[in-house]
Amino acid sequence: FQVVLVDDASDDGSIGPDFIERVRKHVKAHWRENLSDRLKIIRHPTPWGCSRSRAHAIREAFGEIIQVWDGHQRMDTWLGPEILAATAQDRGGIVITAVRNLGNPIDGKHTYGACFQLKGQPWAILNKHIETPPVETICRRQAIIGCGYTLTRETLAALGGWPELPGIWAYNEQWLGFRAFFLDIPLWVHAGVKTQHRYKKEFGYPC
């Protein structure tokens, strides 16, 4: 395993000032190799944005299976990352998790992937959250919206790499969803792996 952490000059409380030391303390007990080889920290002096930061992290990663996580994301399921990696390896495509608090931090509902929805405003996020749990634990979706994605290098290459797009959050996801849809690359939601999207205003600083 390797962790690439990008601090994109963030000031929203998603990564506290002691976050890196807390990560080091936890992973030291599990990794016997030199931590400098396993934990890479990238700091941007000025914000690059979500899309470019993710692309930067992926360029620095050496794994055959890539997991991209938002700075606000927290894993609730034991061995969740391993389960997602195995699913991506077995099924191909992009695998996402069930996410709590995404898009509606008040009621704390889980969302299970997304569907396409046309909206009147040209800037609006087109993907609509699906809040109904799927019948199957691993279910195919037509669109994605979330903060955690797992895919193989082969899938990443088929998508043409990770996009570096300007604009608001979730344009990244819409590009990936449309590209995967037209290329017939499957999008999966794993309802058995649950995460939280922890907003500063709901959880305090640091998240």
Side-chain angles (χ1 to χ4, degrees), residues 168-183:
I168 64 173
W169 173 83
Y171 279 11
N172 206 215
E173 286 73 12
Q174 290 176 117
W175 184 94
L176 287 169
F178 277 120
R179 186 103 173 133
F181 180 81
F182 287 113
L183 292 174

Side-chain angles (χ1 to χ4, degrees), residues 73-113:
Q73 202 82 343
R74 300 295 180 267
M75 178 64 63
D76 281 344
T77 303
W78 177 246
L79 297 180
E82 287 87 342
I83 294 168
L84 297 170
T87 304
Q89 192 170 40
D90 291 344
R91 297 188 178 230
I94 304 173
V95 185
I96 66 170
T97 70
V99 187
R100 187 160 63 88
N101 298 322
L102 184 62
N104 193 346
I106 305 301
D107 60 24
K109 290 181 179 178
H110 279 93
T111 57
Y112 302 90

Side-chain angles (χ1 to χ4, degrees), residues 111-161:
T111 57
Y112 302 90
C115 59
F116 292 128
Q117 177 184 3
L118 295 177
K119 294 187 177 180
Q121 308 93 329
W123 50 265
I125 295 172
L126 298 179
N127 296 353
K128 179 184 178 183
H129 301 280
I130 297 175
E131 295 185 351
T132 305
V135 175
E136 299 175 330
T137 302
I138 303 172
C139 178
R140 190 161 179 175
R141 292 294 192 226
Q142 66 169 205
I144 54 175
I145 190 168
C147 306
Y149 312 98
T150 303
L151 66 165
T152 64
R153 287 278 181 186
E154 185 178 0
T155 298
L156 185 64
L159 286 164

